[in-house]
Amino acid sequence: MLVSEALAVGAATCIALSGMLISELKGRVDVIRLARWQMLAAFSMTGAAALVVGGWRSLGPHEVLLLAVSGLFGIIIASTTYFAAIYTAGPRNTALLFA
C-alpha cells in the first residue's frame, strides 16, 4: 500500500471516529471552539508535513489562497455544521446514524 493511500485511510478513520465521539463533548465545548481546534490541528499537521518535505518554498500565492479557501469550506463551514447537527441530534440518534 502506498503511503498516500495509507494516509487517506487514516484520515477517513479519524473523521469517522470524531463523528462518533463528538457527542461526548456536548455541553463542554461549543462548536466554534471545536472548529478552531480542528483548524489548528489541520494547520499543524500540514505545516509539519510541508517542513519535512520542504514544501513551503514551492507554494506560491495562488496555492496559499487555495489552501485557505479549502480550509474555509472544508473545516470551518462543513465540519462546524456537521458537528452542530450531531450536537442537535443527540447521542442516541447519532449512534443510529453511524450504525
Side-chain angles (χ1 to χ4, degrees):
M1 182 181 291
L2 295 173
V3 173
S4 60
E5 292 170 345
L7 291 174
V9 169
T13 303
C14 287
I15 290 170
L17 286 174
S18 71
M20 287 188 275
L21 299 174
I22 200 69
S23 63
E24 298 295 323
L25 294 176
K26 184 178 180 179
R28 294 185 215 161
V29 179
D30 63 338
V31 177
I32 300 299
R33 182 179 295 170
L34 194 60
R36 270 187 295 194
W37 289 350
Q38 190 177 18
M39 182 65 86
L40 181 65
F43 178 75
S44 300
M45 288 184 275
T46 303
L51 283 174
V52 168
V53 298
W56 288 119
R57 285 178 255 138
S58 66
L59 289 178
H62 186 285
E63 288 84 11
V64 171
L65 177 67
L66 288 175
L67 279 171
V69 170
S70 171
L72 173 72
F73 287 111
I75 294 176
I76 295 176
I77 295 174
S79 293
T80 304
T81 55
Y82 174 64
F83 292 147
I86 290 175
Y87 274 9
T88 304
R92 282 190 183 158
N93 291 333
T94 302
L96 283 173
L97 290 173
F98 281 102

